[in-house]
Amino acid sequence: MPPGLRGRQDETARLDRLLAGIRAGESQVLVVRGEAGVGKTALLDYLAERATGCRIARAAGVESEMELPFAGLHQLCAPMLPGLGQLPEPQRDALGTALGLATGEAPDRFLVGLALLGLLSDASAGRPLVCIVDDAQWLDRASAQVLAFAARRLLAEPVAVVFAVREPREDRELAGLPDLAVRGLRDGDARALLESVTPARLDPRVRDRIVAEARGNPLALLELPRGLAPGRLAGGYMHAVPQSLATRIEETFVQRLRALPEPAQRLLLTAAAEPLGDVALLADAAERQGIGLAAARPAEAAGLIRIDARVQFHHPLVRAAAYHAGTVPDRRDAHRALAEATDPDLDPDRRAWHRAQAATGPDEDVAAELERSAGRAAGRGGVAAEAAFLERATELTPDPRRRGPRALAAARAKLDAAAPDEASDLLTVAEMCPLDELQQALVVRLRAQMAYARSRGSDAPPLLFDAARNLEPLDAALARETYLDALGAATFAGRLTEGPGTGEIAAAALRVPAAARPAPTTDLVLAGLATRFTDGYVAAVAPLRRALRALRDQDGRQADQLRRLWLGCRIASELWEDEIWDELAARQVRIARETGALAALPLALTYRSGTHLHAGEFAAAEALIEESDAITRSIGAAPPLMYTTILLSAWRGREASTVALNDAGARNATPRGEGRALSWRDYGTAVLRNGLGDYDAALTAARSACEPDDIALVAWAMVELIEAAARSDRPDLAAPTLERLAERARAAGTDWALGMEARSRALLSDGVVAEKLYREAIERLEQSRVAVHLARAHLVYGEWLRRQQRRVDAREHLRTAYDMFGRFGAEAFAERAQRELQATGETVRKRSVETRDLLTAQESQVARLAATGLTNPEIGAQLFISPRTAEYHLAKVFSKLGIRSRRQLRGRIAQLDHDAP
């Protein structure tokens, strides 16, 4: 074993197992974690050497390139680009734009990730593929997100993706992936390694001091003794300095670099500033500085760098040392030479970036080029890249009158890129510059939006409200958009609102003159919601329906639709329009998938999961929630809304998990002032307790959920309150709540709404009136897709019939409820129906294992898509997995269902759908 891997038997065994896995056709992902110099790179080299018969692709993060979007991805994909033409056109175009091979609008990173997944799958078709990414902590964020996204979705491909990350570091992109912690060597191995590279005899005390100070770090043990006189090694060693180990190791490289001739040092500095390892580009830049590649020979002889087909440093810390050891003027000279050597047509973004790094001070010409390049960078890396270029342009702008607007634009881009703290710093810069009145108002608006982005809490509504008022005399359209933002923020603050609430915000919004007709969709939505909070539910039904029609009929750019469809889902659920909710949620997910809209898809999946939940399709809802959470983790976004997750657990009757989810949600939401989370906690608790038959607890929770006037949620909570109050013999609470519910239901007029009213009224009625209402509830809910509420209508009717001593009639409805709840997975409600059935004297058969118990959520999704006739590539594009992974899941589905063909699958799915309610 090489000296640098002494004592690494466990780590190398893990890598050997990884290689065995891909040779057996299984995907492998590993994050090698450890401090600088602990041996991560040596382990990656071991992996590459052992991967005989495999295809190798390598990349490394570079600190100076962290702001250039997809720089790391470009390194990794370069050898695989011949396979680009095999990808579906949207993926091919997205990846080509990201890598600078084509121009166009900013590709969504989700679509780029899917393209990378396909590229890796195709590249592994002939032989296993090993992708090695060193110094992943220095990857540009776009590359890190895309690589992590693809790594999480590998399954049935002979592909290994191995990252090396320096710690300590928070890396949201790679969090949760399988990892290998590389720690310091044991003392015995450390002493042996030190003695193997030390020519002089070591005093035991000096040896022990070196070993103790190196803390088992192999690179420290190899590099710290270099260059020290034998006498110092034998007798005294160096004075201790308060530096981190990485800094001290880097300093040893700096000392070795400074021992090189001056041309060699300058060449290594230039190579360190150029991350792609492009020999031709380095040669050109070197010539422009009056040095040639031959200057590298002393460095090659010293084992610091190797130049053949590519430029490769001995260790990432050598690159860092070469760059940091240079003087500031030398660094600028290197970047200037690289800018001049970079083709402005082929890579304008990198050229602009090098020019910016070479600038000695404010320079309008460079700042303007950066500003122009920001648009091009956005075409490759989206708003994060745009923000980086605009931020640097702001720094280099000499004229405050131009610096202010650039800082404002950079802050806007930083906020869109989910970097509110950096956006705040840029707004401070903007405020120090001359701004006109509209720009000053935009500063206030951005600060308010930052507060909302950070917390979704009670501090955001008053800030957005003030921003909207400031914009009224300056830009009415922007003021209306901001009032809509303020209303949305206030609904999240809910019962914890501080300052203006929904009523005050809505009243102010209605005073702003609307745009000329035809009214934009945004204005219709604002008018409907504002009416809802000023004049009440009944008055708002008509304007909300107009807004809903506009949202259903809107066309134009798909990206614009995505920004509005989530509002359509909220309005549809408020109006009890289950079919429209389902339609808009499905369209939102479809557009997000087709366009690869990474930021929008998790929210779209959440709303879509809600329609599945009410339809009793718990497995489908869970699959979408899992997908949403996985995407959120892969892009490092803020935690998703937990509302559907809580409600799904409550409907399933899982007491412990629901309580845990509610407690965690409340702990996180209360300090932020997200009152809506507390309302959902109470509503979820009411559903859970009604299912368990704990009606007193359900009543307490439902009363709390009914207090704030949350959109849609308050009416659902009324339904729970009425049932709990009826079962707790509290007509004083049930009767007034029923009248509130009836007013809304009759104004909405849908089968869902009127069915829920009839069911609730029946619980408080007797005799013929009650039976008529129960039957009306069932008939109406049968016309909707809210199957969970239909099942509960059968349940409460069956319970009433049993109490009327009509056991035969009761069994029919209780059996229906029991079967429906069992199919859904609503365990508590199923047990409640079972108890009632047993009370009628019926022996309840044990349920057989259903398909939902056999198939995983992912397998269920793949099976249903395959049953519609989609091919594996089409299924992969829908679910953001590779075609090979789709094939893998489908094979497991066939095995579990005992079938052999897609034709049989279609029949089996049709049978399951027929059996389902």
Side-chain angles (χ1 to χ4, degrees), residues 335-359:
H335 282 290
R336 186 176 299 108
L338 287 165
E340 293 168 355
T342 300
D343 190 318
D345 296 323
L346 296 178
D347 203 348
D349 301 343
R350 201 177 303 277
R351 179 179 183 275
W353 190 256
H354 282 308
R355 285 196 71 197
Q357 299 300 96

Side-chain angles (χ1 to χ4, degrees), residues 239-264:
H239 295 294
V241 289
Q243 294 176 297
S244 71
L245 184 58
T247 303
R248 287 181 296 164
I249 297 171
E250 188 176 322
E251 181 59 31
T252 67
F253 286 129
V254 169
Q255 293 175 9
R256 293 172 62 187
L257 287 164
R258 286 176 177 161
L260 297 174
E262 190 269 342

Side-chain angles (χ1 to χ4, degrees), residues 44-87:
L44 297 186
D45 291 340
Y46 172 87
L47 176 65
E49 291 170 5
R50 298 279 294 194
T52 54
C54 299
R55 187 175 183 180
I56 306 292
R58 299 193 74 149
V62 180
E63 191 174 9
S64 63
E65 295 282 324
M66 290 180 69
E67 301 294 351
L68 287 177
F70 299 113
L73 188 66
H74 189 282
Q75 292 183 58
L76 189 73
C77 290
M80 294 178 270
L81 289 181
L84 193 62
Q86 304 300 316
L87 299 176

Side-chain angles (χ1 to χ4, degrees), residues 707-752:
E707 290 176 2
D709 192 12
D710 283 314
I711 289 181
L713 181 62
V714 64
W716 299 347
M718 290 178 195
V719 173
E720 300 300 328
L721 188 153
I722 293 166
E723 181 169 340
R727 294 289 186 251
S728 302
D729 196 24
R730 293 294 306 272
D732 56 312
L733 296 176
T737 304
L738 175 61
E739 296 314 307
R740 290 175 61 198
L741 176 66
E743 181 183 44
R744 290 167 179 260
R746 292 168 186 175
T750 67
D751 282 321
W752 182 10

